[in-house]
Amino acid sequence: DVEAQLQQVRDKLSPKGDVVSEAGRKRTMEVFGQPLSPLQVVQRICSDVEKRGLAAVLEYGKSLDGKQLYASTIRVSEEELRLAHEAADPEFLQTIRDIRENILRFQTAILHQDVEVPIEHGGKLRHRYTPLKRVGICVPGGAAAYPSTVLMTAVPALAAGVEELAVIAPPTPFGSYNLDLLATCVEIGVKEVYRVGGAQGVAALAYGVEGIPKVQKIVGPGNLFVALAKKHVFGEVDIDSIAGPSEVVVVADTTAKPAYIAADMLAQAEHSPGSSVLISWDESLIDAALTELEKQVAVLERCDLTVQSLIDFGAVIVAKDEDEACRIATDLAPEHLHITTQDSEATAEKILTAGATFLGNYSPVALGDYAAGPSHVLPTGATAHWASGLSANDFLRSRSVIHFTENGLKAIAPLVTTLADKEGLTAHKRSVTIRTESE
Ligand code: NAD
């Protein structure tokens, strides 16, 4: 039953980011004194921050992250930023500069351009883009430090022309106390970094609290609490998307190197949870890739976690032929799609639903994660059917400009008056006829 098998793979493809660990549940009990669901926790935190401002932010920093901060220490000072930058490894800083250039080049090239459409009988229509002024960026810091996330969110925003960027990261050694993270912020020109994470950080950015001015849009990844908080504040501010755990679908034929396929699958599984699905119509390739997987996983630093992730969220699909493989991959709409076939470009034209597509033997997903240019903040959990990855264009808003001449208005007037009559809006009609008909 192909459909039943596909459903199993679909389930594996969206590792359940909403499962809260035992430790998480314990923390909820300690902080709130009752077994609230993650959604209830987030609603409670957001409305508390909205009502009580910075005091609530500082309290949650203490109770959830175990860090007592004050109004004077919640923002990373200029001195702290400078020292972190000075302490950074010069090679690391050069890498950050090189990656920033790659991202800037790509993101600037894809920026939407203003459009002007002439009106036949006189006048013009324009579609104009303007960058957002102030944007908030969530950088996770619970389980690992992510300088790459700063690059992949802030640099597209800078390419769009955003003037003010406010980074929030939890007050942890992987978050806003991480020197590499701070040095990265300095290197790319981010001056505002706040020691706050989780739902309280998102709420602070959305509502604005003493010392943390309100932003217009919040972007960037995070755990379940961050994701639910972004959903909660949407409407008060704009958000990018709700990105879940990472995933890759590999579509390969005999031209693929099994060792490369295995390495790519392990790179996703290493996120733990991260799902890796291999689809091929060549069983000998699948066998070879599985042998490689076993060989390579054994020497990984995060071997145990990676193996568990493969068991829980890994899958192999033997398709009838290339067309069937493409149909299955299209249906799965993965965050990352890696195609290594005889003609990867042609295969890619048959799978249009993916956050980012990587072609051939020499485009591993890690290239997109770290250095190529497109952002690594991508739609997950099959949302690539309708969502796109983060780009510089997400930091623009557009407006239309309508400028008719008298002749232009006269020519179009009947369209307006007919509809205004139908809808009974006589003032609408008159606002046109007063200009086009002599009284
Ligand atoms: P995080 O910074 O997103 O979350 C940590 C915060 O969660 C804490 O500061 C705390 O305030 C809050 N929190 C934790 N337990 C809580 C509880 N019980 N109640 C209320 N609040 C609680 O860091 P993380 O946990 O490391 O998660 C980061 C996620 O982001 C991972 O899933 C990672 O894979 C993902 N990620 C994605 C990308 C991407 O581009 N898609 C990049 C980097 C990281």
Side-chain angles (χ1 to χ4, degrees), residues 20 24-25 27-28 32 41 45 64-65 139-144 146 149 170-171 197-200 221-223 225-226 243-244 271 335 376-378:
V20 176
R25 268 193 288 273
R27 188 115 50 107
T28 301
F32 298 97
V41 165
I45 294 175
L64 288 168
D65 292 310
V139 179
Y146 299 102
T149 297
Q200 61 277 21
N223 65 9
F225 297 97
V226 171
H271 282 293
E335 178 190 19
H376 73 199
V377 178
L378 297 166

PDB file of all heavy atoms in Angstrom, residues 20 24-25 27-28 32 41 45 64-65 139-144 146 149 170-171 197-200 221-223 225-226 243-244 271 335 376-378, ligand 1:
ATOM      1  N   VAL A  20       7.419  17.959  24.313  1.00  0.00           N
ATOM      2  CA  VAL A  20       8.227  18.616  25.339  1.00  0.00           C
ATOM      3  C   VAL A  20       8.850  17.538  26.225  1.00  0.00           C
ATOM      4  O   VAL A  20       8.196  16.581  26.618  1.00  0.00           O
ATOM      5  CB  VAL A  20       7.359  19.574  26.166  1.00  0.00           C
ATOM      6  CG1 VAL A  20       8.161  20.183  27.297  1.00  0.00           C
ATOM      7  CG2 VAL A  20       6.832  20.670  25.259  1.00  0.00           C
ATOM      8  N   GLY A  24      11.524  19.656  30.405  1.00  0.00           N
ATOM      9  CA  GLY A  24      10.706  20.822  30.057  1.00  0.00           C
ATOM     10  C   GLY A  24       9.437  20.855  30.896  1.00  0.00           C
ATOM     11  O   GLY A  24       9.032  21.899  31.402  1.00  0.00           O
ATOM     12  N   ARG A  25       8.799  19.680  31.042  1.00  0.00           N
ATOM     13  CA  ARG A  25       7.561  19.607  31.842  1.00  0.00           C
ATOM     14  C   ARG A  25       7.834  19.969  33.302  1.00  0.00           C
ATOM     15  O   ARG A  25       7.067  20.664  33.952  1.00  0.00           O
ATOM     16  CB  ARG A  25       6.968  18.202  31.745  1.00  0.00           C
ATOM     17  CG  ARG A  25       5.956  18.085  30.608  1.00  0.00           C
ATOM     18  CD  ARG A  25       5.162  16.801  30.738  1.00  0.00           C
ATOM     19  NE  ARG A  25       5.996  15.649  30.415  1.00  0.00           N
ATOM     20  CZ  ARG A  25       6.159  15.183  29.189  1.00  0.00           C
ATOM     21  NH1 ARG A  25       5.550  15.764  28.187  1.00  0.00           N
ATOM     22  NH2 ARG A  25       6.927  14.139  28.957  1.00  0.00           N
ATOM     23  N   ARG A  27      10.200  21.892  34.384  1.00  0.00           N
ATOM     24  CA  ARG A  27      10.436  23.331  34.469  1.00  0.00           C
ATOM     25  C   ARG A  27       9.110  24.095  34.501  1.00  0.00           C
ATOM     26  O   ARG A  27       8.928  25.043  35.253  1.00  0.00           O
ATOM     27  CB  ARG A  27      11.280  23.781  33.256  1.00  0.00           C
ATOM     28  CG  ARG A  27      11.758  25.191  33.296  1.00  0.00           C
ATOM     29  CD  ARG A  27      13.263  25.292  33.380  1.00  0.00           C
ATOM     30  NE  ARG A  27      13.899  24.462  32.356  1.00  0.00           N
ATOM     31  CZ  ARG A  27      14.505  24.967  31.270  1.00  0.00           C
ATOM     32  NH1 ARG A  27      14.550  26.253  31.099  1.00  0.00           N
ATOM     33  NH2 ARG A  27      15.064  24.176  30.398  1.00  0.00           N
ATOM     34  N   THR A  28       8.166  23.651  33.664  1.00  0.00           N
ATOM     35  CA  THR A  28       6.856  24.300  33.637  1.00  0.00           C
ATOM     36  C   THR A  28       6.217  24.233  35.023  1.00  0.00           C
ATOM     37  O   THR A  28       5.670  25.215  35.525  1.00  0.00           O
ATOM     38  CB  THR A  28       5.939  23.614  32.600  1.00  0.00           C
ATOM     39  OG1 THR A  28       6.569  23.692  31.329  1.00  0.00           O
ATOM     40  CG2 THR A  28       4.589  24.284  32.520  1.00  0.00           C
ATOM     41  N   PHE A  32       5.399  27.610  36.903  1.00  0.00           N
ATOM     42  CA  PHE A  32       3.992  28.023  36.910  1.00  0.00           C
ATOM     43  C   PHE A  32       3.159  27.302  37.974  1.00  0.00           C
ATOM     44  O   PHE A  32       1.987  27.626  38.178  1.00  0.00           O
ATOM     45  CB  PHE A  32       3.370  27.809  35.527  1.00  0.00           C
ATOM     46  CG  PHE A  32       4.047  28.641  34.467  1.00  0.00           C
ATOM     47  CD1 PHE A  32       5.036  28.085  33.652  1.00  0.00           C
ATOM     48  CD2 PHE A  32       3.730  29.982  34.292  1.00  0.00           C
ATOM     49  CE1 PHE A  32       5.678  28.845  32.691  1.00  0.00           C
ATOM     50  CE2 PHE A  32       4.361  30.737  33.326  1.00  0.00           C
ATOM     51  CZ  PHE A  32       5.348  30.184  32.521  1.00  0.00           C
ATOM     52  N   VAL A  41       1.582  27.977  28.288  1.00  0.00           N
ATOM     53  CA  VAL A  41       2.779  28.627  28.833  1.00  0.00           C
ATOM     54  C   VAL A  41       3.085  29.897  28.034  1.00  0.00           C
ATOM     55  O   VAL A  41       3.301  30.978  28.589  1.00  0.00           O
ATOM     56  CB  VAL A  41       3.996  27.663  28.776  1.00  0.00           C
ATOM     57  CG1 VAL A  41       5.306  28.408  28.995  1.00  0.00           C
ATOM     58  CG2 VAL A  41       3.844  26.554  29.795  1.00  0.00           C
ATOM     59  N   ILE A  45       3.121  33.778  29.232  1.00  0.00           N
ATOM     60  CA  ILE A  45       4.340  34.600  29.189  1.00  0.00           C
ATOM     61  C   ILE A  45       4.097  35.861  28.353  1.00  0.00           C
ATOM     62  O   ILE A  45       4.432  36.977  28.758  1.00  0.00           O
ATOM     63  CB  ILE A  45       5.535  33.797  28.611  1.00  0.00           C
ATOM     64  CG1 ILE A  45       5.909  32.647  29.547  1.00  0.00           C
ATOM     65  CG2 ILE A  45       6.744  34.707  28.383  1.00  0.00           C
ATOM     66  CD1 ILE A  45       7.000  31.722  29.010  1.00  0.00           C
ATOM     67  N   LEU A  64      13.287  30.751  33.954  1.00  0.00           N
ATOM     68  CA  LEU A  64      13.406  29.767  32.869  1.00  0.00           C
ATOM     69  C   LEU A  64      14.852  29.517  32.447  1.00  0.00           C
ATOM     70  O   LEU A  64      15.206  28.421  32.034  1.00  0.00           O
ATOM     71  CB  LEU A  64      12.600  30.234  31.652  1.00  0.00           C
ATOM     72  CG  LEU A  64      11.082  30.148  31.807  1.00  0.00           C
ATOM     73  CD1 LEU A  64      10.380  30.895  30.691  1.00  0.00           C
ATOM     74  CD2 LEU A  64      10.620  28.695  31.827  1.00  0.00           C
ATOM     75  N   ASP A  65      15.683  30.555  32.523  1.00  0.00           N
ATOM     76  CA  ASP A  65      17.070  30.382  32.073  1.00  0.00           C
ATOM     77  C   ASP A  65      18.062  30.459  33.218  1.00  0.00           C
ATOM     78  O   ASP A  65      19.281  30.371  32.997  1.00  0.00           O
ATOM     79  CB  ASP A  65      17.416  31.447  31.017  1.00  0.00           C
ATOM     80  CG  ASP A  65      16.642  31.220  29.733  1.00  0.00           C
ATOM     81  OD1 ASP A  65      16.650  30.081  29.244  1.00  0.00           O
ATOM     82  OD2 ASP A  65      16.019  32.162  29.219  1.00  0.00           O
ATOM     83  N   VAL A 139      17.881  34.305  17.785  1.00  0.00           N
ATOM     84  CA  VAL A 139      19.002  33.378  17.612  1.00  0.00           C
ATOM     85  C   VAL A 139      18.915  32.368  18.760  1.00  0.00           C
ATOM     86  O   VAL A 139      18.972  32.756  19.919  1.00  0.00           O
ATOM     87  CB  VAL A 139      20.350  34.126  17.642  1.00  0.00           C
ATOM     88  CG1 VAL A 139      21.499  33.144  17.491  1.00  0.00           C
ATOM     89  CG2 VAL A 139      20.401  35.165  16.529  1.00  0.00           C
ATOM     90  N   PRO A 140      18.760  31.078  18.420  1.00  0.00           N
ATOM     91  CA  PRO A 140      18.612  30.080  19.487  1.00  0.00           C
ATOM     92  C   PRO A 140      19.884  29.951  20.315  1.00  0.00           C
ATOM     93  O   PRO A 140      20.979  30.278  19.830  1.00  0.00           O
ATOM     94  CB  PRO A 140      18.326  28.777  18.737  1.00  0.00           C
ATOM     95  CG  PRO A 140      18.020  29.160  17.336  1.00  0.00           C
ATOM     96  CD  PRO A 140      18.689  30.463  17.085  1.00  0.00           C
ATOM     97  N   GLY A 141      19.727  29.460  21.509  1.00  0.00           N
ATOM     98  CA  GLY A 141      20.912  29.330  22.349  1.00  0.00           C
ATOM     99  C   GLY A 141      20.719  28.330  23.466  1.00  0.00           C
ATOM    100  O   GLY A 141      21.401  28.365  24.483  1.00  0.00           O
ATOM    101  N   GLY A 142      19.747  27.422  23.275  1.00  0.00           N
ATOM    102  CA  GLY A 142      19.499  26.426  24.315  1.00  0.00           C
ATOM    103  C   GLY A 142      20.508  25.293  24.263  1.00  0.00           C
ATOM    104  O   GLY A 142      21.163  24.973  25.250  1.00  0.00           O
ATOM    105  N   ALA A 143      20.661  24.707  23.057  1.00  0.00           N
ATOM    106  CA  ALA A 143      21.458  23.481  22.961  1.00  0.00           C
ATOM    107  C   ALA A 143      22.761  23.652  22.180  1.00  0.00           C
ATOM    108  O   ALA A 143      23.656  22.823  22.279  1.00  0.00           O
ATOM    109  CB  ALA A 143      20.606  22.388  22.306  1.00  0.00           C
ATOM    110  N   ALA A 144      22.884  24.699  21.382  1.00  0.00           N
ATOM    111  CA  ALA A 144      24.111  24.932  20.601  1.00  0.00           C
ATOM    112  C   ALA A 144      24.161  26.414  20.225  1.00  0.00           C
ATOM    113  O   ALA A 144      23.137  27.103  20.287  1.00  0.00           O
ATOM    114  CB  ALA A 144      24.095  24.071  19.333  1.00  0.00           C
ATOM    115  N   TYR A 146      24.777  29.414  17.400  1.00  0.00           N
ATOM    116  CA  TYR A 146      24.546  29.493  15.954  1.00  0.00           C
ATOM    117  C   TYR A 146      24.952  30.832  15.342  1.00  0.00           C
ATOM    118  O   TYR A 146      24.084  31.632  14.964  1.00  0.00           O
ATOM    119  CB  TYR A 146      23.069  29.257  15.646  1.00  0.00           C
ATOM    120  CG  TYR A 146      22.533  27.913  16.055  1.00  0.00           C
ATOM    121  CD1 TYR A 146      21.778  27.773  17.210  1.00  0.00           C
ATOM    122  CD2 TYR A 146      22.777  26.782  15.280  1.00  0.00           C
ATOM    123  CE1 TYR A 146      21.272  26.529  17.594  1.00  0.00           C
ATOM    124  CE2 TYR A 146      22.276  25.553  15.641  1.00  0.00           C
ATOM    125  CZ  TYR A 146      21.527  25.430  16.802  1.00  0.00           C
ATOM    126  OH  TYR A 146      21.028  24.214  17.167  1.00  0.00           O
ATOM    127  N   THR A 149      23.182  31.384  12.105  1.00  0.00           N
ATOM    128  CA  THR A 149      21.815  31.918  12.075  1.00  0.00           C
ATOM    129  C   THR A 149      21.823  33.446  12.023  1.00  0.00           C
ATOM    130  O   THR A 149      20.981  34.061  11.369  1.00  0.00           O
ATOM    131  CB  THR A 149      21.017  31.403  13.291  1.00  0.00           C
ATOM    132  OG1 THR A 149      20.921  29.993  13.171  1.00  0.00           O
ATOM    133  CG2 THR A 149      19.620  31.992  13.340  1.00  0.00           C
ATOM    134  N   PRO A 170      19.083  33.725  24.198  1.00  0.00           N
ATOM    135  CA  PRO A 170      18.944  33.428  25.627  1.00  0.00           C
ATOM    136  C   PRO A 170      20.252  33.692  26.387  1.00  0.00           C
ATOM    137  O   PRO A 170      21.338  33.597  25.799  1.00  0.00           O
ATOM    138  CB  PRO A 170      18.599  31.933  25.671  1.00  0.00           C
ATOM    139  CG  PRO A 170      18.347  31.518  24.283  1.00  0.00           C
ATOM    140  CD  PRO A 170      18.840  32.564  23.345  1.00  0.00           C
ATOM    141  N   PRO A 171      20.139  34.018  27.675  1.00  0.00           N
ATOM    142  CA  PRO A 171      21.339  34.322  28.467  1.00  0.00           C
ATOM    143  C   PRO A 171      22.079  33.054  28.861  1.00  0.00           C
ATOM    144  O   PRO A 171      22.139  32.695  30.037  1.00  0.00           O
ATOM    145  CB  PRO A 171      20.766  35.047  29.695  1.00  0.00           C
ATOM    146  CG  PRO A 171      19.381  34.500  29.829  1.00  0.00           C
ATOM    147  CD  PRO A 171      18.899  34.157  28.464  1.00  0.00           C
ATOM    148  N   GLY A 197      15.669  35.159  25.685  1.00  0.00           N
ATOM    149  CA  GLY A 197      15.296  34.183  24.662  1.00  0.00           C
ATOM    150  C   GLY A 197      13.872  33.721  24.889  1.00  0.00           C
ATOM    151  O   GLY A 197      13.107  34.345  25.627  1.00  0.00           O
ATOM    152  N   GLY A 198      13.516  32.608  24.260  1.00  0.00           N
ATOM    153  CA  GLY A 198      12.204  31.990  24.476  1.00  0.00           C
ATOM    154  C   GLY A 198      11.046  32.918  24.164  1.00  0.00           C
ATOM    155  O   GLY A 198      11.181  33.915  23.442  1.00  0.00           O
ATOM    156  N   ALA A 199       9.885  32.566  24.719  1.00  0.00           N
ATOM    157  CA  ALA A 199       8.663  33.342  24.459  1.00  0.00           C
ATOM    158  C   ALA A 199       8.781  34.765  24.999  1.00  0.00           C
ATOM    159  O   ALA A 199       8.266  35.713  24.402  1.00  0.00           O
ATOM    160  CB  ALA A 199       7.473  32.630  25.094  1.00  0.00           C
ATOM    161  N   GLN A 200       9.494  34.920  26.129  1.00  0.00           N
ATOM    162  CA  GLN A 200       9.607  36.268  26.714  1.00  0.00           C
ATOM    163  C   GLN A 200      10.402  37.198  25.797  1.00  0.00           C
ATOM    164  O   GLN A 200      10.124  38.401  25.728  1.00  0.00           O
ATOM    165  CB  GLN A 200      10.201  36.220  28.133  1.00  0.00           C
ATOM    166  CG  GLN A 200      11.596  35.652  28.289  1.00  0.00           C
ATOM    167  CD  GLN A 200      11.619  34.135  28.362  1.00  0.00           C
ATOM    168  OE1 GLN A 200      10.688  33.468  27.930  1.00  0.00           O
ATOM    169  NE2 GLN A 200      12.689  33.568  28.901  1.00  0.00           N
ATOM    170  N   PRO A 221      14.868  31.212  13.742  1.00  0.00           N
ATOM    171  CA  PRO A 221      14.387  29.934  14.272  1.00  0.00           C
ATOM    172  C   PRO A 221      14.359  29.897  15.798  1.00  0.00           C
ATOM    173  O   PRO A 221      14.781  30.844  16.459  1.00  0.00           O
ATOM    174  CB  PRO A 221      15.433  28.949  13.746  1.00  0.00           C
ATOM    175  CG  PRO A 221      16.687  29.746  13.652  1.00  0.00           C
ATOM    176  CD  PRO A 221      16.284  31.158  13.362  1.00  0.00           C
ATOM    177  N   GLY A 222      13.880  28.780  16.314  1.00  0.00           N
ATOM    178  CA  GLY A 222      13.854  28.600  17.766  1.00  0.00           C
ATOM    179  C   GLY A 222      13.121  27.326  18.111  1.00  0.00           C
ATOM    180  O   GLY A 222      12.615  26.632  17.220  1.00  0.00           O
ATOM    181  N   ASN A 223      13.044  27.038  19.406  1.00  0.00           N
ATOM    182  CA  ASN A 223      12.349  25.819  19.820  1.00  0.00           C
ATOM    183  C   ASN A 223      10.834  26.054  19.813  1.00  0.00           C
ATOM    184  O   ASN A 223      10.344  27.076  19.348  1.00  0.00           O
ATOM    185  CB  ASN A 223      12.875  25.348  21.189  1.00  0.00           C
ATOM    186  CG  ASN A 223      12.555  26.344  22.296  1.00  0.00           C
ATOM    187  OD1 ASN A 223      11.812  27.290  22.096  1.00  0.00           O
ATOM    188  ND2 ASN A 223      13.128  26.111  23.463  1.00  0.00           N
ATOM    189  N   PHE A 225       8.714  26.870  22.067  1.00  0.00           N
ATOM    190  CA  PHE A 225       8.207  28.039  22.792  1.00  0.00           C
ATOM    191  C   PHE A 225       8.376  29.307  21.945  1.00  0.00           C
ATOM    192  O   PHE A 225       7.507  30.176  21.927  1.00  0.00           O
ATOM    193  CB  PHE A 225       8.918  28.168  24.151  1.00  0.00           C
ATOM    194  CG  PHE A 225       8.635  26.989  25.041  1.00  0.00           C
ATOM    195  CD1 PHE A 225       9.528  25.929  25.117  1.00  0.00           C
ATOM    196  CD2 PHE A 225       7.444  26.913  25.752  1.00  0.00           C
ATOM    197  CE1 PHE A 225       9.248  24.831  25.904  1.00  0.00           C
ATOM    198  CE2 PHE A 225       7.156  25.813  26.545  1.00  0.00           C
ATOM    199  CZ  PHE A 225       8.060  24.758  26.626  1.00  0.00           C
ATOM    200  N   VAL A 226       9.500  29.378  21.252  1.00  0.00           N
ATOM    201  CA  VAL A 226       9.755  30.520  20.359  1.00  0.00           C
ATOM    202  C   VAL A 226       8.744  30.493  19.202  1.00  0.00           C
ATOM    203  O   VAL A 226       8.136  31.512  18.857  1.00  0.00           O
ATOM    204  CB  VAL A 226      11.207  30.469  19.822  1.00  0.00           C
ATOM    205  CG1 VAL A 226      11.427  31.500  18.721  1.00  0.00           C
ATOM    206  CG2 VAL A 226      12.197  30.680  20.956  1.00  0.00           C
ATOM    207  N   ALA A 243       9.414  27.616  11.583  1.00  0.00           N
ATOM    208  CA  ALA A 243      10.269  26.534  11.080  1.00  0.00           C
ATOM    209  C   ALA A 243      10.417  25.436  12.134  1.00  0.00           C
ATOM    210  O   ALA A 243      10.686  25.718  13.294  1.00  0.00           O
ATOM    211  CB  ALA A 243      11.632  27.101  10.708  1.00  0.00           C
ATOM    212  N   GLY A 244      10.208  24.204  11.697  1.00  0.00           N
ATOM    213  CA  GLY A 244      10.369  23.064  12.609  1.00  0.00           C
ATOM    214  C   GLY A 244      11.734  22.436  12.426  1.00  0.00           C
ATOM    215  O   GLY A 244      12.617  23.017  11.798  1.00  0.00           O
ATOM    216  N   HIS A 271      21.294  16.738  13.416  1.00  0.00           N
ATOM    217  CA  HIS A 271      20.543  17.787  14.123  1.00  0.00           C
ATOM    218  C   HIS A 271      19.809  17.185  15.321  1.00  0.00           C
ATOM    219  O   HIS A 271      19.603  17.849  16.323  1.00  0.00           O
ATOM    220  CB  HIS A 271      19.511  18.450  13.200  1.00  0.00           C
ATOM    221  CG  HIS A 271      20.109  19.443  12.267  1.00  0.00           C
ATOM    222  ND1 HIS A 271      20.656  20.615  12.705  1.00  0.00           N
ATOM    223  CD2 HIS A 271      20.243  19.447  10.924  1.00  0.00           C
ATOM    224  CE1 HIS A 271      21.095  21.305  11.669  1.00  0.00           C
ATOM    225  NE2 HIS A 271      20.868  20.615  10.569  1.00  0.00           N
ATOM    226  N   GLU A 335      12.201  20.405   3.309  1.00  0.00           N
ATOM    227  CA  GLU A 335      12.978  21.630   3.531  1.00  0.00           C
ATOM    228  C   GLU A 335      14.177  21.647   2.569  1.00  0.00           C
ATOM    229  O   GLU A 335      14.402  22.600   1.844  1.00  0.00           O
ATOM    230  CB  GLU A 335      13.461  21.648   4.983  1.00  0.00           C
ATOM    231  CG  GLU A 335      14.330  22.840   5.325  1.00  0.00           C
ATOM    232  CD  GLU A 335      14.992  22.717   6.686  1.00  0.00           C
ATOM    233  OE1 GLU A 335      15.073  21.580   7.218  1.00  0.00           O
ATOM    234  OE2 GLU A 335      15.444  23.734   7.223  1.00  0.00           O
ATOM    235  N   HIS A 376      19.459  29.869   5.202  1.00  0.00           N
ATOM    236  CA  HIS A 376      19.155  28.507   5.641  1.00  0.00           C
ATOM    237  C   HIS A 376      17.859  28.444   6.454  1.00  0.00           C
ATOM    238  O   HIS A 376      17.491  27.378   6.940  1.00  0.00           O
ATOM    239  CB  HIS A 376      20.344  27.883   6.404  1.00  0.00           C
ATOM    240  CG  HIS A 376      20.570  28.432   7.787  1.00  0.00           C
ATOM    241  ND1 HIS A 376      21.767  28.288   8.440  1.00  0.00           N
ATOM    242  CD2 HIS A 376      19.788  29.107   8.646  1.00  0.00           C
ATOM    243  CE1 HIS A 376      21.696  28.846   9.639  1.00  0.00           C
ATOM    244  NE2 HIS A 376      20.498  29.354   9.786  1.00  0.00           N
ATOM    245  N   VAL A 377      17.170  29.562   6.599  1.00  0.00           N
ATOM    246  CA  VAL A 377      15.858  29.530   7.273  1.00  0.00           C
ATOM    247  C   VAL A 377      14.823  29.168   6.207  1.00  0.00           C
ATOM    248  O   VAL A 377      14.493  29.978   5.335  1.00  0.00           O
ATOM    249  CB  VAL A 377      15.531  30.880   7.938  1.00  0.00           C
ATOM    250  CG1 VAL A 377      14.147  30.841   8.581  1.00  0.00           C
ATOM    251  CG2 VAL A 377      16.601  31.232   8.971  1.00  0.00           C
ATOM    252  N   LEU A 378      14.347  27.915   6.245  1.00  0.00           N
ATOM    253  CA  LEU A 378      13.554  27.343   5.159  1.00  0.00           C
ATOM    254  C   LEU A 378      12.279  26.700   5.690  1.00  0.00           C
ATOM    255  O   LEU A 378      12.229  26.316   6.867  1.00  0.00           O
ATOM    256  CB  LEU A 378      14.389  26.266   4.437  1.00  0.00           C
ATOM    257  CG  LEU A 378      15.661  26.770   3.748  1.00  0.00           C
ATOM    258  CD1 LEU A 378      16.566  25.581   3.370  1.00  0.00           C
ATOM    259  CD2 LEU A 378      15.321  27.586   2.510  1.00  0.00           C
TER     260      LEU A 378
HETATM  261  P1  NAD B   1      16.022  28.370  21.888  1.00  0.00           P
HETATM  262  O1  NAD B   1      16.868  29.560  22.128  1.00  0.00           O
HETATM  263  O2  NAD B   1      15.116  28.411  20.721  1.00  0.00           O
HETATM  264  O3  NAD B   1      15.116  28.124  23.184  1.00  0.00           O
HETATM  265  C1  NAD B   1      15.585  28.221  24.486  1.00  0.00           C
HETATM  266  C2  NAD B   1      14.590  29.002  25.308  1.00  0.00           C
HETATM  267  O4  NAD B   1      13.358  28.280  25.418  1.00  0.00           O
HETATM  268  C3  NAD B   1      15.030  29.214  26.732  1.00  0.00           C
HETATM  269  O5  NAD B   1      15.786  30.392  26.784  1.00  0.00           O
HETATM  270  C4  NAD B   1      13.720  29.330  27.491  1.00  0.00           C
HETATM  271  O6  NAD B   1      13.379  30.677  27.641  1.00  0.00           O
HETATM  272  C5  NAD B   1      12.720  28.641  26.610  1.00  0.00           C
HETATM  273  N1  NAD B   1      12.230  27.425  27.294  1.00  0.00           N
HETATM  274  C6  NAD B   1      12.865  26.254  27.421  1.00  0.00           C
HETATM  275  N2  NAD B   1      12.096  25.401  28.167  1.00  0.00           N
HETATM  276  C7  NAD B   1      10.976  26.068  28.507  1.00  0.00           C
HETATM  277  C8  NAD B   1       9.796  25.729  29.257  1.00  0.00           C
HETATM  278  N3  NAD B   1       9.621  24.530  29.797  1.00  0.00           N
HETATM  279  N4  NAD B   1       8.829  26.675  29.395  1.00  0.00           N
HETATM  280  C9  NAD B   1       8.974  27.902  28.813  1.00  0.00           C
HETATM  281  N5  NAD B   1      10.060  28.262  28.104  1.00  0.00           N
HETATM  282  C10 NAD B   1      11.039  27.364  27.943  1.00  0.00           C
HETATM  283  O7  NAD B   1      17.047  27.166  21.830  1.00  0.00           O
HETATM  284  P2  NAD B   1      16.949  25.609  21.628  1.00  0.00           P
HETATM  285  O8  NAD B   1      16.110  24.975  22.690  1.00  0.00           O
HETATM  286  O9  NAD B   1      18.361  25.218  21.497  1.00  0.00           O
HETATM  287  O10 NAD B   1      16.206  25.347  20.255  1.00  0.00           O
HETATM  288  C11 NAD B   1      16.695  25.791  19.030  1.00  0.00           C
HETATM  289  C12 NAD B   1      15.961  25.103  17.880  1.00  0.00           C
HETATM  290  O11 NAD B   1      16.209  25.846  16.688  1.00  0.00           O
HETATM  291  C13 NAD B   1      16.456  23.689  17.629  1.00  0.00           C
HETATM  292  O12 NAD B   1      15.332  22.883  17.317  1.00  0.00           O
HETATM  293  C14 NAD B   1      17.354  23.849  16.391  1.00  0.00           C
HETATM  294  O13 NAD B   1      17.440  22.702  15.605  1.00  0.00           O
HETATM  295  C15 NAD B   1      16.628  24.954  15.667  1.00  0.00           C
HETATM  296  N6  NAD B   1      17.465  25.690  14.717  1.00  0.00           N
HETATM  297  C16 NAD B   1      16.963  25.875  13.460  1.00  0.00           C
HETATM  298  C17 NAD B   1      17.676  26.580  12.517  1.00  0.00           C
HETATM  299  C18 NAD B   1      17.067  26.822  11.156  1.00  0.00           C
HETATM  300  O14 NAD B   1      17.542  27.636  10.427  1.00  0.00           O
HETATM  301  N7  NAD B   1      15.992  26.171  10.780  1.00  0.00           N
HETATM  302  C19 NAD B   1      18.929  27.118  12.844  1.00  0.00           C
HETATM  303  C20 NAD B   1      19.407  26.944  14.131  1.00  0.00           C
HETATM  304  C21 NAD B   1      18.646  26.239  15.076  1.00  0.00           C
END
